[in-house]
């Protein structure tokens, strides 16, 4: 159960040549699933020569590097052109705040990347209709800026907005449309509970939980960084996302599952070990003992030579100073008092007694240094002599053994062979490492496999004061009558990338079983492809409504009704126009102004 991190690099998206069926007999709609985690784009064309799948899939990220001094300007990379997000983590920018696009400059970079790589060849404009996903209950300002970008910058003929989870619900419809159901959509930033009645979203009773895959990855990163502080830098967000996608699961009963993990046998059977990359060179490799001993001897010789050189330099300096002091003392003995006093002043001394004291100290220091030098030379000679191999004297008495004595020794040799100590065994050339380096670079995933995805059911695990999926789902259902509740729970639909954990469907069924009346029925279904069904549903809708006016916002509608205008359809939000408060008529203000001009002093 040792798994290696893939650390896969993103391959740059190629520039695709569009099929002729995309242009004739009329421009085919371009479907863009504008998600906060990943952008998916492709054509909605009934022609079989056009692939019915997204041709582009890339992370909704952009990085603008600073230009080199004296070189080219700043370079902007988008999506898969980044290669890997970790080296550029501090440069990465996203147009989204939660799941709402707010940075339109970055959104324009993503659109440019899509249109360029899909081979949109029209000059100065994009003459294809656009089907674009947006967030549930998207703010009017965000839709206004998006419409302004598409109509003013790209000159698109018409655009349609829809909710990604409702497109997925539309693609996976198991009953005759329109149908009702309860959509549970969990994505990268948010989780939504969406009631759908008769094919239309009931926006008044929608609820959002501000938790998703991003928060789970950050929580898992903190858990493992606290558990393995020695591998702090190696525990990256990209690797945490890989663990969430491939090694995590939802516990049907979280408390009982934690009790199971306390059992050593269960832990050994279910723990996943993630192997971090490492190099054997860090251990210093297993070097033969003889080579190590030789290196130590060389280091010892270098230290001895260095110490001997320092002692000689010190001895030379002390001897020169001692000679100077003795010369001054000779001046005193010869009676040259003037020169003697000048010399004392130069030496910063006051009397002949102080001069004699310094002479005695320096003489003692010189003698000690000479003795140390002689002793070190003797030690070096002894080391050289001891390092020569010695042949052991096997027969110190010089007596010769007879043939009978040798044979008798050979007879008793097997009896004493078992009692030979292990010291006499030959020393192996290689030294075994002290610990297993590969095991040191392993991350043991135990309860972390269930703790990270559990936050959508228990947000209090990360300190969030929000309700989980079960409480929010019960709150939404209680806002309807019993008959409507029974209709909604017959089609509980799970979609979104954060719903792909094993065991999530069983957990939702368990929660519904606890909150629903006795012997009542319900059905829980999972999207056939929770990640891509939003794009597939948008494509299905675009193909069916290609020649209709329903759901499409034309340029005329944009100019007359504003950028926030929305034409509703089966997978769209509910349009709530802006209602401005009525202003008081200016005619009523005129008398007041006229009366105020009569008395200048009051003004």
């Amino acid at each position: 159960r040792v798994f290696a991190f893939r650390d896969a690099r993103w391959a740059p998206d190629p520039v695709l040549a569009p099929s002729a069926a995309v242009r004739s007999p009329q421009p085919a709609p371009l479907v863009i699933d504008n998600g906060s985690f990943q952008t998916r784009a492709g054509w909605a064309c009934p022609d079989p020569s056009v692939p019915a799948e997204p041709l582009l899939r890339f992370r909704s990220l952009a990085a603008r590097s600073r230009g080199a001094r004296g070189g080219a300007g700043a370079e902007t990379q988008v999506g898969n052109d980044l290669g890997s997000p970790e080296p550029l983590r501090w440069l990465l920018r996203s147009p989204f705040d939660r799941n709402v696009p707010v940075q339109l400059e970055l959104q324009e970079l993503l659109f440019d990347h899509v249109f360029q790589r899909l081979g949109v060849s029209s000059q100065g404009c994009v003459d294809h209709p656009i089907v674009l996903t947006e967030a549930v209950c998207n703010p009017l300002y965000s839709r206004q800026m998006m419409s302004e970008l598409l109509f003013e910058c790209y000159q698109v003929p018409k655009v349609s907005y829809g909710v990604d989870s409702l497109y997925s619900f539309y693609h996976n419809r198991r009953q005759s449309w329109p149908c009702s159901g309860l959509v549970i959509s969990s994505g990268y930033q948010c989780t939504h509970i969406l009631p759908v009645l008769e094919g239309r979203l009931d926006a008044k009773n929608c609820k959002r939980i501000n938790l998703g895959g991003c928060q789970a990855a950050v929580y898992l990163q903190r858990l493992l960084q606290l558990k393995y502080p020695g591998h702090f830098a190696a525990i990256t967000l990209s690797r945490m996302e890989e663990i969430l996608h491939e090694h995590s699961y939802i516990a049907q009963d979280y408390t009982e599952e934690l009790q199971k993990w306390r059992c050593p046998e269960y832990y050994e059977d279910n723990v996943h070990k993630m192997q971090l990359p490492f190099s054997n060179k860090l251990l210093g490799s297993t070097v033969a003992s003889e080579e190590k001993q030789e290196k130590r001897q060389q280091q010892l010789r270098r230290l001895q030579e260095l110490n001997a050189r320092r002692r000689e330099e010190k001895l030379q300096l002390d001897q020169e100073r001692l000679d100077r002091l003795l010369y001054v003392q000779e001046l005193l003995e010869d009676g040259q008092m003037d020169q003697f006093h000048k010399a004392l002043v130069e030496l910063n001394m006051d009397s002949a007694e102080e001069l004699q004291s310094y002479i005695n100290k320096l003489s003692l220091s010189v003698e000690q240094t000479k003795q140390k030098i002689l002793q070190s030379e003797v030690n070096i000679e002894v080391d050289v002599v001891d390092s020569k191999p010695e042949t052991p004297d096997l027969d110190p008495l010089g007596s010769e053994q007879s043939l009978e004595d040798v044979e008798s020794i050979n007879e008793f040799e097997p009896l004493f062979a078992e009692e030979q100590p292990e010291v006499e065994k030959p020393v192996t050339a290689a030294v075994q490492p002290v610990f297993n380096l590969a095991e040191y670079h392993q991350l043991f995933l135990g309860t972390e496999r269930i703790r990270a995805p559990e936050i959508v059911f228990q947000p209090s695990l990360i300190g969030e004061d929000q309700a989980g999926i079960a409480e929010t789902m019960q709150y939404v259902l209680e806002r309807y009558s019993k008959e409507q509740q029974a209709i909604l729970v017959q089609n509980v639909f799970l979609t979104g990338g954060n719903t792909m954990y094993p065991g999530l469907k069983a957990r939702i069924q368990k929660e519904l079983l606890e909150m629903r009346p006795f012997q009542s029925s319900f059905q829980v279904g999972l999207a056939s492809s929770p990640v891509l069904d939003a794009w597939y549903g948008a494509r299905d809708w675009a193909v069916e409504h290609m020649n209709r006016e329903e759901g499409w916002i034309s340029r005329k509608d944009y100019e007359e009704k504003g950028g926030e205008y929305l034409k509703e359809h089966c997978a769209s939000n509910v349009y709530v126009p802006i209602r401005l408060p009525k202003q008081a008529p200016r005619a009523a203000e005129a008398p007041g102004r006229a009366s105020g001009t009569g008395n200048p002093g009051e003004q």
Side-chain angles (χ1 to χ4, degrees):
R1 294 183 179 276
V2 179
F3 304 89
F5 286 107
R6 293 197 308 270
D7 291 337
R9 291 184 59 84
W10 304 335
D13 296 316
V15 178
L16 304 175
S19 173
V22 174
R23 301 290 304 171
S24 61
Q26 59 182 356
L30 178 58
V31 180
I32 302 176
D33 182 10
N34 193 32
S36 60
F37 178 74
Q38 194 178 57
T39 300
R40 307 164 191 90
W43 300 104
C45 184
D47 193 283
S49 62
V50 180
E53 59 184 14
L55 301 178
L56 287 182
R57 295 176 60 184
F58 59 90
R59 288 288 297 271
S60 303
L61 297 172
R64 181 171 296 166
S65 61
R66 300 174 182 175
R69 294 182 180 178
E75 181 183 2
T76 302
Q77 295 176 325
V78 177
N80 293 332
D81 293 344
L82 295 170
S84 177
E86 292 308 325
L88 304 172
R89 180 68 67 179
W90 62 285
L91 285 174
L92 296 181
R93 298 292 182 269
S94 172
F96 291 88
D97 181 8
R98 294 289 181 179
N99 60 337
V100 177
V102 293
Q103 300 287 340
L104 272 301
E105 298 86 355
L106 298 175
Q107 186 66 59
E108 184 179 353
L109 292 177
L110 298 186
F111 283 157
D112 289 342
H113 184 78
V114 169
F115 299 144
Q116 179 188 3
R117 300 307 167 94
L118 287 181
V120 177
S121 58
S122 52
Q123 295 294 330
C125 68
V126 177
D127 57 353
H128 293 270
I130 304 293
V131 179
L132 189 67
T133 60
E134 64 178 6
V136 182
C137 301
N138 192 33
L140 297 181
Y141 177 76
S142 176
R143 187 184 302 129
Q144 176 185 357
M145 298 300 294
M146 189 68 71
S147 296
E148 182 180 343
L149 177 64
L150 291 173
F151 284 110
E152 301 293 345
C153 180
Y154 296 104
Q155 305 293 325
V156 298
K158 56 184 179 179
V159 65
S160 176
Y161 296 104
V163 180
D164 51 358
S165 52
L166 296 183
Y167 278 134
S168 179
F169 184 64
Y170 180 78
H171 178 71
N172 289 271
R173 56 187 184 276
R174 299 179 178 86
Q175 306 170 7
S176 59
W177 192 265
C179 61
S180 301
L182 189 66
V183 179
I184 301 176
S185 171
S186 184
Y188 188 60
Q189 293 284 357
C190 298
T191 300
H192 293 93
I193 311 294
L194 310 177
V196 179
L197 294 174
E198 297 299 327
R200 287 302 177 95
L201 175 68
D202 186 8
K204 293 183 179 180
N205 294 319
C206 293
K207 296 298 172 186
R208 181 186 69 206
I209 306 170
N210 289 324
L211 292 174
C214 176
Q215 288 74 24
V218 172
Y219 180 48
L220 180 61
Q221 184 186 33
R222 291 178 180 176
L223 288 177
L224 292 180
Q225 283 178 345
L226 287 173
K227 187 176 181 180
Y228 299 99
H231 305 307
F232 192 90
I235 301 174
T236 61
L237 278 177
S238 300
R239 289 172 177 168
M240 298 305 100
E241 291 171 359
E242 183 179 337
I243 291 175
L244 285 175
H245 295 163
E246 300 181 6
H247 302 278
S248 298
Y249 66 97
I250 297 288
Q252 190 168 353
D253 190 310
Y254 182 66
T255 307
E256 290 184 2
E257 193 72 17
L258 288 180
Q259 293 296 328
K260 291 180 182 178
W261 279 100
R262 297 183 64 182
C263 177
E265 291 78 9
Y266 186 87
Y267 179 87
E268 291 294 333
D269 294 339
N270 295 277
V271 67
H272 284 196
K273 303 173 185 178
M274 303 303 300
Q275 183 66 61
L276 292 171
F278 68 97
S279 175
N280 287 325
K281 295 180 180 179
L282 298 177
L283 190 61
S285 69
T286 56
V287 185
S289 58
E290 297 178 357
E291 297 179 3
K292 288 186 176 181
Q293 188 67 21
E294 185 177 354
K295 288 183 179 179
R296 289 177 183 174
Q297 293 292 339
Q298 292 178 358
Q299 293 176 356
L300 180 59
R301 293 193 197 99
R302 291 175 185 172
L303 289 176
Q304 290 175 347
E305 292 174 359
L306 182 61
N307 290 333
R309 194 179 306 115
R310 288 178 178 175
R311 290 193 187 100
E312 290 176 357
E313 292 175 356
K314 183 177 181 297
L315 177 62
Q316 184 178 359
L317 292 175
D318 290 346
Q319 188 65 44
E320 291 177 356
R321 189 166 187 185
L322 179 60
D323 294 342
R324 172 65 176 168
L325 296 179
L326 292 175
Y327 171 73
V328 174
Q329 191 177 24
E330 290 178 358
L331 293 176
L332 177 62
E333 294 176 354
D334 295 342
Q336 301 177 6
M337 301 305 296
D338 294 337
Q339 296 181 4
F340 173 71
H341 288 298
K342 288 180 181 179
L344 282 182
V345 172
E346 291 176 359
L347 295 174
N348 198 14
M349 294 183 184
D350 297 332
S351 60
E353 291 78 8
E354 186 177 357
L355 175 63
Q356 186 64 38
S357 175
Y358 271 98
I359 290 175
N360 296 336
K361 291 179 181 179
L362 277 177
S363 301
L364 181 60
S365 175
V366 168
E367 291 297 328
Q368 291 177 353
T369 305
K370 289 181 179 179
Q371 292 178 3
K372 288 181 180 179
I373 291 175
L374 292 175
Q375 185 66 28
S376 62
E377 292 176 357
V378 172
N379 291 337
I380 292 176
E381 292 178 0
V382 171
D383 292 339
V384 172
V385 172
D386 291 341
S387 62
K388 295 181 181 179
E390 297 180 357
T391 55
D393 191 2
L394 299 179
D395 192 7
L397 300 178
S399 61
E400 297 182 0
Q401 293 180 341
S402 61
L403 183 60
E404 292 82 2
D405 295 337
V406 174
E407 290 178 355
S408 62
I409 292 176
N410 292 334
E411 291 177 1
F412 289 101
E413 188 173 357
L415 298 178
F416 294 101
E418 299 179 359
E419 299 180 3
Q420 292 179 355
E422 296 181 357
V423 181
E424 298 180 2
K425 293 182 180 180
V427 181
T428 57
V431 178
Q432 297 296 328
V434 179
F435 63 94
N436 190 346
L437 188 62
E439 187 174 349
Y440 173 74
H441 286 83
Q442 288 177 3
L443 306 179
F444 286 64
L445 301 179
T447 56
E448 293 83 7
R449 296 178 59 195
I450 61 173
R451 291 177 68 182
E454 182 68 19
I455 64 171
V456 293
F457 289 93
Q458 300 185 52
S460 59
L461 290 176
I462 59 173
E464 291 289 340
D465 189 14
Q466 302 182 48
I469 288 182
E471 294 88 344
T472 307
M473 184 167 51
Q474 184 175 8
Y475 177 80
V476 170
L477 289 174
E478 287 177 351
R479 299 176 70 88
Y480 295 95
S481 62
K482 293 183 178 180
E483 293 77 12
Q484 290 177 321
Q485 290 184 27
I487 295 174
L488 290 174
V489 297
Q490 290 302 319
N491 190 11
V492 179
F493 178 70
L494 306 176
T495 185
N498 204 40
T499 62
M500 298 177 67
Y501 297 115
L504 179 64
K505 182 179 177 180
R507 177 68 175 269
I508 297 293
Q509 290 174 342
K510 173 181 175 295
E511 300 291 349
L512 280 172
L513 186 64
E514 293 178 354
M515 70 178 67
R516 296 299 297 157
F518 178 63
Q519 291 185 344
S520 63
S521 62
F522 56 85
Q523 291 184 2
V524 180
L526 182 64
S528 57
S529 177
V531 175
L532 297 178
D533 277 355
W535 188 91
Y536 291 139
R539 179 190 177 276
D540 296 343
W541 184 91
V543 170
E544 294 175 6
H545 296 77
M546 187 182 302
N547 299 318
R548 304 181 192 176
E549 294 296 328
E550 179 189 358
W552 293 101
I553 305 170
S554 64
R555 185 173 184 85
K556 183 179 179 181
D557 296 330
Y558 164 74
E559 293 174 349
E560 291 180 356
K561 301 176 182 179
E564 70 277 1
Y565 177 66
L566 172 69
K567 274 191 178 179
E568 297 182 9
H569 55 88
C570 61
S572 72
N573 279 308
V574 177
Y575 175 55
V576 181
I578 299 177
R579 292 184 176 89
L580 298 176
K582 294 182 179 180
Q583 296 181 356
R586 295 186 177 182
E589 300 177 1
R593 292 180 179 177
S595 61
T597 57
N599 190 356
E602 293 180 359
Q603 293 179 358

